[in-house]
Amino acid sequence: QVQVVESGGGLAQAGGSLRLSCLASGPTFSMDAMAWFRQVPGKERDFVAGISQSGGVIHSADSVRGRFTIARDNAKNTLYLRMNSLRPEDTADYFCAVRTIPSDASRVYLSTNEYNYWGRGTQVTVLS
């Protein structure tokens, strides 16, 4: 079983920056793609950005493209999300997702049901 823990959330001003981290532990050699999703009360959990196992392929949602950057450090079993130019509409609970189902190292997965391990989330609040 892979344990997933997010950190780095908090309060930011509009236009500010935060960096989220996701640390995975356990049989991390089996990790494939990883991703960040976000969710607000009463809405679906939405894809934010994802990265392939190799780190060579990245997809990001239209709403964050050009502002957020996803990266991974496989040696540290860590996923990052650098968030710049934050907007109030970025306010959400941010979740780290890890896939361990075998696949090739160049694929990115965009749906929640394509991941099998999740963190508990870290809250990001952006003030106007």
Side-chain angles (χ1 to χ4, degrees):
Q1 300 291 317
V2 175
Q3 298 295 114
V4 182
V5 180
E6 303 98 335
S7 61
L11 205 64
Q13 298 288 333
S17 298
L18 288 171
R19 188 178 76 161
L20 306 184
S21 297
C22 169
L23 177 64
S25 60
T28 54
F29 60 87
S30 65
M31 292 195 303
D32 185 37
M34 302 178 74
W36 291 97
F37 291 76
R38 65 187 181 187
Q39 187 171 28
V40 299
K43 297 188 69 177
E44 298 289 331
R45 188 169 295 185
D46 292 330
F47 176 81
V48 176
I51 188 167
S52 65
Q53 193 276 334
S54 67
V57 182
I58 293 170
H59 289 172
S60 60
D62 290 346
S63 59
V64 307
R65 192 170 298 122
R67 300 188 298 119
F68 292 8
T69 301
I70 189 170
R72 66 190 294 167
D73 186 338
N74 287 341
K76 297 180 179 179
N77 304 129
T78 302
L79 178 73
Y80 303 98
L81 186 68
R82 178 66 178 177
M83 303 185 293
N84 296 134
S85 302
L86 283 164
R87 303 167 180 169
E89 54 263 42
D90 295 319
T91 295
D93 198 5
Y94 283 71
F95 296 87
C96 177
V98 179
R99 176 182 170 93
T100 62
I101 302 167
S103 63
D104 70 65
S106 63
R107 294 181 68 179
V108 176
Y109 300 88
L110 308 182
S111 299
T112 57
N113 62 6
E114 294 176 310
Y115 295 87
N116 53 323
Y117 292 98
W118 293 84
R120 298 298 180 91
T122 185
Q123 180 68 40
V124 171
T125 301
V126 184
L127 302 175
S128 299

